[in-house]
Amino acid sequence: MPGHTVAFGPGRVNLIGEHTDYNDGLALPFAIDAGVRVSATATGDQSIRAHALDLGASDTYMLGGEAPSPGGWRAFVRGATAELAAAGLPLRGATLEIEGTIARGAGLSSSAALEVALCLALLALADADVVPPWPLARICSQVENEWVGANTGLLDQLASLCGRENAAMRIDFRSGVIVPVALALGEWRLVTLDSGVRHSHAESGYNDRRRECAQACEALGISSLRELEPAMLGRLAAPLDARARHVLEENARVDATVDALARGDLPAVGALLDASHASLRDLYEVSTPELNAAVDTLRAGGAAGARMMGGGFGGSVLGLLPPGALAPDGAIEVRPGAGARVLER
Ligand code: GLA
């Protein structure tokens, strides 16, 4: 049994396919190089002593004594041990040291990176069998749903767990099939630009949008918006019709992006990013003036397309820059990197 383990969970960028994951739809994310590193050292008893090194903050509790959950980063740690135990997985007491290279609340899934790194480090410390991506993503998302209060889907966790170099992943949330899609950008670049507005899915309108999608399904008598046919849209009252239209068209944009990438048609990918942003802004109504301004900045610098990314209400935008286009101040180049991994055991 190892006495010490280290795991890394990357953040993610979602190329396209937003607010589709919890609607049994399609998305095309990739893992990035920045993320969260967790080291776990066995304490020899049932105690967890967690230290968030960047924050200079600590939390101590006993396994099985996680509740009541305090807020902030402690909720993720307590949630992770509680949900791993609830899933019947082995656990040992540990000193946990958490260190991130990814901005919190900037829309690059610092939360999923933390959940994934915590789970991998703890499971490795207990010498547990490898848990496959879908069940592990579900455990991580339970942490977010039950302990943090954000009713998020599985996009971020799967992207973090399944990342690979030079490829995005087409995730089909209905069938469970994940297919790598080569991201051959040549001289083109993908960059993120922080809108400067921090977001928290627990406090934004994210949970409201999920509720609206469930209401649309109920009104139509379907089990998920993946079953939606264009002809059904007329049967929905506003704003549910607009929400549903976004999901329907965003799923189609994911496959159009996969096709455009296969053809090497990057201008077409740019146009799809623009269309996604317009839909998130006007139909799904999860953008903000700051996100729209960040998109405009990228476009003014010559981006072939740009869009808000993630849940919205703050965070970062993504832009696709052709050769020679200017990356604005503060923009960070992103490229697909390897998925979550145990670094030491
Ligand atoms: C957040 C959530 C994901 C997903 C996106 C929107 O990142 O954590 O589950 O719903 O928003 O696509």
Side-chain angles (χ1 to χ4, degrees):
M1 192 88 70
H4 177 75
T5 61
V6 181
F8 178 75
R12 65 97 187 92
V13 154
N14 190 18
L15 188 55
I16 199 157
E18 220 65 271
H19 286 277
T20 49
D21 62 345
Y22 55 84
N23 286 309
D24 274 359
L26 303 171
L28 195 60
F30 58 86
I32 56 176
D33 288 336
V36 176
R37 192 183 142 99
V38 172
S39 81
T41 307
T43 50
D45 57 21
Q46 293 293 97
S47 64
I48 295 287
R49 293 151 209 220
H51 306 285
L53 299 183
D54 321 339
L55 301 174
S58 298
D59 188 26
T60 302
Y61 61 91
M62 301 301 281
L63 290 173
E66 285 86 354
S69 169
W73 69 276
R74 294 179 179 85
F76 288 91
V77 182
R78 292 187 178 213
T81 55
E83 293 300 332
L84 287 169
L89 291 160
L91 273 179
R92 292 165 79 199
T95 298
L96 300 170
E97 292 191 333
I98 303 165
E99 226 173 337
T101 54
I102 187 170
R104 266 179 293 274
L108 299 173
S109 290
S110 53
S111 305
L114 173 58
E115 294 150 18
V116 163
L118 279 167
C119 288
L120 289 186
L122 285 163
L123 289 170
L125 193 71
D127 226 1
D129 293 337
V130 171
V131 181
W134 283 91
L136 190 51
R138 281 197 193 90
I139 290 171
C140 292
S141 111
Q142 280 283 107
V143 173
E144 209 141 336
N145 298 169
E146 302 297 329
W147 295 77
V148 182
N151 207 6
T152 50
L154 297 175
L155 168 74
D156 309 335
Q157 293 81 5
L158 285 172
S160 180
L161 286 165
C162 301
R164 53 166 82 187
E165 282 175 20
N166 304 319
M169 281 148 291
R170 178 189 183 275
I171 305 179
D172 184 331
F173 292 90
R174 178 166 62 179
S175 68
V177 174
I178 302 180
V179 181
V181 174
L183 207 53
L185 297 178
E187 298 290 300
W188 290 57
R189 288 175 298 159
L190 280 167
V191 297
T192 61
L193 183 63
D194 194 341
S195 70
V197 179
R198 290 286 162 269
H199 71 164
S200 137
H201 295 318
E203 284 147 26
S204 71
Y206 185 95
N207 292 348
D208 299 333
R209 290 297 174 278
R210 270 200 87 144
R211 210 170 306 118
E212 288 169 346
C213 290
Q215 284 166 1
C217 289
E218 208 182 303
L220 295 171
I222 55 179
S223 62
S224 88
L225 287 183
R226 189 70 182 273
E227 290 164 32
L228 185 71
E229 306 278 345
M232 297 175 179
L233 287 170
R235 287 164 44 200
L236 289 171
L240 302 188
D241 55 346
R243 310 293 189 246
R245 179 184 293 279
H246 164 77
V247 174
L248 184 77
E249 295 176 353
E250 186 76 354
N251 283 332
R253 278 189 287 270
V254 170
D255 276 338
T257 304
V258 171
D259 290 346
L261 286 170
R263 295 193 306 272
D265 186 352
L266 294 173
V269 174
L272 287 158
L273 297 186
D274 283 344
S276 174
H277 183 72
S279 181
L280 289 158
R281 183 190 59 209
D282 302 336
L283 298 179
Y284 217 70
E285 295 185 278
V286 290
S287 193
T288 63
E290 295 84 358
L291 285 166
N292 298 336
V295 162
D296 290 345
T297 303
L298 283 166
R299 302 229 7 113
R307 66 177 202 85
M308 55 145 281
M309 197 177 58
F313 303 103
S316 295
V317 303
L318 177 71
L320 178 62
L321 306 187
L326 285 181
D329 280 353
I332 298 171
E333 184 170 358
V334 283
R335 51 170 69 106
R341 56 214 176 259
V342 174
L343 301 173
E344 282 174 43
R345 76 188 313 155

